[in-house]
């Protein structure tokens, strides 16, 4: 693999809902497996053709149930495979709360080689949970079918590929009216071999940063490694199981939005009182009471190492004392140490609360992660949580710097918005795909 080009991508013969169903595609798409709520699941399960039955089956044998459902849908024509391989343009139109601007995140779906982390081609910014990886790997091993694309980022300041994507979008395959998060999703396809080769050439010189879907990607990586081991040296590198379904967007675009994820403390360890928490923060932070909690995001916006704190009905702005930062002694890179969230996790969770080290914090049940600011205040007011720490969003520049440093961020550092949806496009990595999925394109790839 040492001589493999960077970010090798391949077109796919996508599987999609047949035309009679795709006219009402909103009825069949679903949130990703790791963000779908229990209430959403209940509603989606009631539709026997919704894609959630393939991605998060409701049974004690999820992989077996997904395989049976997949075979049924393929045999009955619920899902059909496109005749020609292609790269699928995928646009998401959305607005942010409080803004009238309509954003459009432009990207495309294809297959990418499931690179090992140490190959330094696909880069991660967060750690994964083994149980979630195993769940995705088992599902993939049984079905050999990918129901939603991992979100990856490449950087192209020239925006060359967007020209081809815009042209494809003049003839969309279908679009949602509005998905569960308020975005409008549109799908189109590029099947011109010359244009596809240009996509391959552009990506072959670039690394890819995973924005979202680390568990799904690592599940594909685990499956590829298992198949390669089972092949006992006979694998050619052209097998479909080497590949992973990915949605690639340009990190240089200003329509790439990262939203903050706040920290909600469900408990204070050791019976700590509110006054004692504040007292433990004072050696490290300036702590300034605020009259109105609703303004906390505006008060801390753009300020380094500044956070909002909502505690027992009282709001505070807290900001790390610059002279205290040198105490942050975790073994990580400087790029990680300068992050707001690293400061929060070290000086609040470790120093003030006694949850020592990233590993302990990752498994501590006393903290949960909430994107909605109003929900944070409401849960504290209802007594469901002791305190809320309000944070600023991470910048794309910070994500790239951390990835290139070889380190990872604290848990739940990024929330790339909007999320991709499940059921919009499927891909198969079954052995029988080898003959018709890759042959035309492999012959022109660099060796």
């Amino acid at each position: 693999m040492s001589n493999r080009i960077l970010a090798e991508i391949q077109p796919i013969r996508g599987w999609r809902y047949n035309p009679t169903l795709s006219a009402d595609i909103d009825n069949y798409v679903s949130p990703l497996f790791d963000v779908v709520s229990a209430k959403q699941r209940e509603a989606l399960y009631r539709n026997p053709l919704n894609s959630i039955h393939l991605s998060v089956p409701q049974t004690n044998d999820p992989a077996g149930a997904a395989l049976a459902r997949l075979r049924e849908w393929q045999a009955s024509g619920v899902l059909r495979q496109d005749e020609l391989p292609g790269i699928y343009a995928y646009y998401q139109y959305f607005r942010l709360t409080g803004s009238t601007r309509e954003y459009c995140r432009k990207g495309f779906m294809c297959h990418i080689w499931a690179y090992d982390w140490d190959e330094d081609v696909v880069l991660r910014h967060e750690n994964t949970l083994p149980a979630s990886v195993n769940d995705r790997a088992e599902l993939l091993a049984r079905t050999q079918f990918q129901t939603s694309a991992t979100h990856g980022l490449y950087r192209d300041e020239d925006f060359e590929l967007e020209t081809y994507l815009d042209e494809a979008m003049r003839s969309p395959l279908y679009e949602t009216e509005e998905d569960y998060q308020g975005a409008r999703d549109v799908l189109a396809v590029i099947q011109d071999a010359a244009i596809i080769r240009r996509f391959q050439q552009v990506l072959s010189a670039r690394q890819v940063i995973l924005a979202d879907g680390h568990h799904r990607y690592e599940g594909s990586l685990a499956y590829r490694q298992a198949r390669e081991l089972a092949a006992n040296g006979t694998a050619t590198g052209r097998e479909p199981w080497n590949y992973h379904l990915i949605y690639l967007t340009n990190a240089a675009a200003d329509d790439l939005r990262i939203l903050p994820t706040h920290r909600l403390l469900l408990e204070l360890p050791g019976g700590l009182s509110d006054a004692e928490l504040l007292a433990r923060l004072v050696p490290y932070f300036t702590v300034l009471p605020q009259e109105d909690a609703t303004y906390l995001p505006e008060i801390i916006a753009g300020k380094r190492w500044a956070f909002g704190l909502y505690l027992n009905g009282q709001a505070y702005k807290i900001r790390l004392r610059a002279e205290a930062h040198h105490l942050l002694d975790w073994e990580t890179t400087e790029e990680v140490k300068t992050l707001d969230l690293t400061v929060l996790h070290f000086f609040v969770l470790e120093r003030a609360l006694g949850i020592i080290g990233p590993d302990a914090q990752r498994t501590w049940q006393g903290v949960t992660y909430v994107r909605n600011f109003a929900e944070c205040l409401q849960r504290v007011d209802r007594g469901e949580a002791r305190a809320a720490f309000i944070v600023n969003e991470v910048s794309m520049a910070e994500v790239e710097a951390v990835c290139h440093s070889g380190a990872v961020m604290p848990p739940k550092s990024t929330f790339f918005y909007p999320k991709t949806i499940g059921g919009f496009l499927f891909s198969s990595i079954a052995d029988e795909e080898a003959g018709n999925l890759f042959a035309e394109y492999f012959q022109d790839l660099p060796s």
Side-chain angles (χ1 to χ4, degrees):
M1 288 287 292
S2 60
N3 63 344
R4 181 174 294 278
I5 59 177
L6 292 181
E8 180 196 313
I9 64 170
Q10 289 296 327
I12 58 175
R13 281 185 61 204
W15 285 84
R16 299 186 289 115
Y17 282 98
N18 77 39
T20 60
L21 295 174
S22 60
D24 299 306
I25 192 66
D26 294 77
N27 294 328
Y28 308 112
V29 296
S30 60
L32 301 178
F33 87 99
D34 53 350
V35 297
V36 61
S37 68
K39 187 174 182 179
Q40 286 173 322
R41 288 188 192 194
E42 290 177 11
L44 295 173
Y45 284 136
R46 288 195 287 270
N47 184 336
L49 298 182
N50 189 275
S51 59
I52 196 170
H53 294 289
L54 296 184
S55 59
V56 194
Q58 190 181 30
T59 174
N60 293 329
D61 179 19
L67 179 60
R69 183 85 58 151
L70 172 60
R71 293 291 179 256
E72 175 189 332
W73 287 1
Q74 289 174 325
S76 64
V78 169
L79 296 182
R80 293 182 179 177
Q81 189 173 29
D82 287 337
E83 290 296 326
L84 295 174
I87 281 177
Y88 291 79
Y90 179 19
Y91 283 13
Q92 290 182 289
Y93 296 87
F94 63 98
R95 286 185 169 87
L96 297 177
T97 302
S99 171
T100 59
R101 173 183 171 182
E102 183 178 60
Y103 293 89
C104 176
R105 190 172 67 191
K106 301 179 178 183
F108 59 94
M109 289 188 276
C110 60
H111 273 168
I112 189 170
W113 180 276
Y115 291 93
D116 294 291
W117 301 123
D118 59 9
E119 292 183 83
D120 207 30
V121 176
V122 173
L123 310 178
R124 56 182 167 177
H125 69 268
E126 67 178 35
N127 285 313
T128 53
L129 299 173
S132 295
V133 172
N134 293 340
D135 173 71
R136 294 297 99 187
E138 181 183 0
L139 191 66
L140 186 62
R142 293 285 295 279
T143 65
Q144 299 182 72
F145 205 68
Q146 305 191 68
T147 60
S148 59
T150 288
H151 183 192
L153 306 167
Y154 69 98
R155 178 167 286 275
D156 177 21
E157 303 286 354
D158 295 327
F159 292 91
E160 177 186 350
L161 300 182
E162 280 77 357
T163 300
Y164 303 116
L165 297 174
D166 287 343
E167 179 64 26
M169 277 294 166
R170 295 174 64 180
S171 302
L173 297 171
Y174 46 66
E175 63 182 279
T176 65
E177 292 185 11
E178 187 176 284
D179 67 25
Y180 74 99
Q181 58 201 329
R184 180 166 60 91
D185 308 80
V186 188
L187 188 73
V189 66
I190 297 171
Q191 294 174 322
D192 184 302
I195 296 175
I196 290 172
R197 290 190 188 98
R198 186 58 195 150
F199 273 73
Q200 292 174 319
Q201 289 163 1
V202 169
L203 268 295
S204 71
R206 287 168 171 79
Q207 294 171 306
V208 169
I209 290 174
L210 284 189
D212 196 26
H214 288 65
H215 292 95
R216 279 169 285 143
Y217 180 84
E218 200 159 306
S220 284
L221 175 57
Y223 181 59
R224 180 184 70 74
Q225 292 170 333
R227 291 295 301 267
E228 194 169 46
L229 182 64
N232 196 26
T234 64
T236 65
R238 303 298 189 241
E239 296 82 6
W241 44 258
N242 286 300
Y243 291 86
H244 175 75
L245 181 64
I246 196 163
Y247 167 56
L248 291 168
T249 62
N250 192 345
D254 68 351
D255 292 291
L256 184 68
R257 312 311 299 173
I258 306 176
L259 304 184
T261 302
H262 311 297
R263 273 57 180 155
L264 202 60
L265 299 187
L266 304 178
E267 62 182 55
L268 296 181
L272 207 64
S273 69
D274 296 345
E276 288 170 330
L277 171 61
L278 291 171
R280 291 188 181 190
L281 294 176
V282 167
Y284 311 111
F285 297 91
T286 58
V287 180
L288 301 176
Q290 304 295 313
E291 290 188 4
D292 192 338
T294 59
Y295 291 110
L296 285 177
E298 288 81 2
I299 290 169
I300 68 172
K303 297 179 176 65
R304 188 185 198 192
W305 302 337
F307 311 93
L309 168 61
Y310 188 59
L311 181 68
N312 194 24
Q314 175 63 54
Y316 303 86
K317 172 192 172 185
I318 69 171
R319 192 170 189 182
L320 186 74
R321 303 177 190 275
E323 64 272 18
H325 189 260
H326 77 280
L327 298 172
L328 205 168
D329 59 0
W330 282 348
E331 292 185 7
T332 187
T333 64
E334 288 303 314
E335 289 82 357
V336 174
K337 287 183 178 180
T338 60
L339 295 174
D340 283 357
L341 287 172
T342 306
V343 165
L344 181 68
H345 280 238
F346 180 81
F347 288 100
V348 175
L349 297 188
E350 178 162 311
R351 287 299 179 97
L353 300 183
I355 312 299
I356 307 299
D359 290 340
Q361 292 176 10
R362 194 160 45 244
T363 58
W364 183 47
Q365 299 299 306
V367 63
T368 191
Y369 306 92
V370 177
R371 187 176 63 83
N372 187 283
F373 166 67
E375 180 185 343
C376 289
L377 305 188
Q378 291 164 3
R379 292 179 67 174
V380 173
D381 287 340
R382 292 197 300 258
E384 297 172 6
R386 290 290 302 275
F389 283 88
I390 309 306
V391 303
N392 285 312
E393 69 274 9
V394 175
S395 71
M396 190 62 232
E398 289 175 316
V399 173
E400 290 179 301
V402 169
C403 286
H404 291 299
S405 78
V408 295
M409 293 179 165
K412 303 294 183 182
S413 289
T414 59
F415 188 96
F416 286 87
Y417 182 83
K419 299 286 187 180
T420 60
I421 54 176
F424 219 42
L425 180 74
F426 306 92
S427 78
S428 172
I429 56 168
D431 293 344
E432 56 265 26
E433 298 287 345
N436 57 30
L437 191 56
F438 303 107
E440 177 183 350
Y441 298 95
F442 264 126
Q443 62 189 6
D444 294 317
L445 277 178
S447 60

